[in-house]
Amino acid sequence: MRASGLISLVLALLLSPLLSGIVNRVKAFFAGRRGSPLLQLYHDLFKLLRKGAVFSRTTTWVFRASPSLGLAAAILSAAIVPLAGPGALLGFQGDLILLAYALGLLRFFTVSAALDTGSSFEGMGASREVQFSALSEPALLLGLAAVAALTGSLSLQSMYNRLDLSLWLQAAPSLVLICTGFFVVFLVENARIPVDDPNTHLELTMIHEVMVLDHSGPDLALIQYTAALKLWVLGCLITGVGVPFRSGGLWPDTLISLGALAALAAGVGVIESSMARLKLLSVPRLLLGASVFMALALILVLR
């Protein structure tokens, strides 16, 4: 456990809801609207926390426990993924596997709660979530394996410390493929356009949002905050690879990382403003393409 890594976790806990605000502000700019404030999600979370929760009589303790358990898995992920500068709070050889398991547990709790409602509508969303995760997880693991082979380490902290400008000059094609694959996984795992739209709630193309329709009050606040943390965690994976600038100083590198995350959120806003959702049947092809990119990057590294 690193003392400086605590800064990384605190920044994730405090600033992760801000990324959604940046995405929405960019979308409002492209639509010619004023848009909601940058801090809108903070207001929504505090409002939901002050409300009471309503539970269906068909649900069990699984439904009530899943938001808290999902948040715990998201916090564990945030503690493992390093932010350039302060690094990660938890780091050891093989921690990239723990990260994959933590993200998998987060999905398991969400899917379990959706199935526990007994609703066929939420069951449909859970089915789609599991189907697409079966394709996105191999892409994520292949990408992490490629970075591990390139840097010669199985610890995320060491891997990302070695991803500097000189390494980019040596292995730029592999790293471009990895960044592209990570970005596809980022969009799919966070249910963003062109895969899903987090702002829709009554359309049959929904994947993630349909699973949380029965949650309310503090439970819904935990789910929305968990989604913001997941956006932050997967964003750190991309920016850690794609932004190889390291000054060696704690705060300069931290500011570079935060700027890169803000730019990534702005990029998501541009994508969501400029293209429509893909057909549902096209999503597996997109994920298969990401896996091919990651596999090709791994082959290039190992050749």
Side-chain angles (χ1 to χ4, degrees):
M1 185 177 294
R2 303 173 180 84
S4 61
L6 189 59
I7 299 174
S8 176
L9 181 60
V10 170
L11 288 174
L13 296 176
L14 292 179
L15 300 181
S16 55
L18 193 60
L19 296 182
S20 297
I22 295 174
V23 173
N24 290 332
R25 290 292 291 185
V26 172
K27 290 170 65 176
F29 172 78
F30 277 87
R33 295 183 286 107
R34 184 175 180 180
S36 55
L38 272 176
L39 304 181
Q40 183 61 49
L41 184 54
Y42 294 94
H43 297 302
D44 292 343
L45 292 175
F46 283 120
K47 181 178 69 177
L48 288 170
L49 287 173
R50 291 196 298 268
K51 291 185 174 181
V54 178
F55 299 104
S56 166
R57 284 176 294 180
T58 62
T59 58
T60 66
W61 63 270
V62 175
F63 181 83
R64 300 186 182 207
S66 66
S68 302
L69 295 174
L71 177 60
I75 293 175
L76 176 61
S77 303
I80 297 172
V81 172
L83 186 71
L89 181 63
L90 302 176
F92 51 87
Q93 292 294 319
D95 56 2
L96 70 171
I97 303 298
L98 180 59
L99 172 65
Y101 270 98
L103 293 174
L105 274 177
L106 168 56
R107 180 179 300 103
F108 171 77
F109 294 134
T110 306
V111 169
S112 298
L115 294 176
D116 193 56
T117 62
S119 163
S120 57
F121 196 40
E122 297 192 30
M124 174 193 69
S127 172
R128 292 172 176 173
E129 177 82 5
V130 173
Q131 177 192 357
F132 295 145
S133 68
L135 298 172
S136 66
E137 286 178 355
L140 176 66
L141 289 173
L142 281 171
L144 291 175
V147 177
L150 187 63
T151 57
S153 175
L154 291 175
S155 168
L156 284 170
Q157 178 70 60
S158 301
M159 288 161 55
Y160 278 74
N161 281 343
R162 296 173 188 175
L163 284 169
D164 54 12
L165 196 56
S166 61
L167 192 61
W168 256 92
L169 295 175
Q170 296 173 16
S174 302
L175 289 169
V176 169
L177 290 171
I178 292 169
C179 284
T180 305
F182 273 159
F183 189 64
V184 172
V185 172
F186 171 84
L187 293 176
V188 174
E189 289 285 337
N190 289 296
R192 311 299 310 197
I193 291 175
V195 177
D196 196 6
D197 188 349
N199 294 323
T200 61
H201 293 280
L202 293 174
E203 296 184 21
L204 292 177
T205 53
M206 287 189 300
I207 300 171
H208 180 268
E209 292 301 315
V210 68
M211 294 191 296
V212 300
L213 286 178
D214 276 14
H215 290 283
S216 60
D219 288 343
L220 184 58
L222 293 183
I223 288 173
Q224 292 187 354
Y225 184 60
T226 300
L229 273 177
K230 189 176 181 182
L231 190 73
W232 178 281
V233 167
L234 294 172
C236 286
L237 283 183
I238 299 174
T239 57
V241 177
V243 182
F245 306 109
R246 308 281 190 274
S247 68
L250 173 63
W251 294 112
D253 285 349
T254 302
L255 289 176
I256 291 173
S257 299
L258 295 180
L261 283 170
L264 177 65
V268 172
V270 172
I271 290 174
E272 296 193 355
S273 302
S274 58
M275 66 182 298
R277 272 185 308 212
L278 294 173
K279 293 180 180 177
L280 200 61
L281 295 178
S282 299
V283 176
R285 299 175 195 165
L286 182 69
L287 285 168
L288 285 175
S291 295
V292 170
F293 277 13
M294 297 299 199
L296 185 57
L298 183 59
I299 292 171
L300 287 175
V301 171
L302 295 177
R303 68 186 168 86

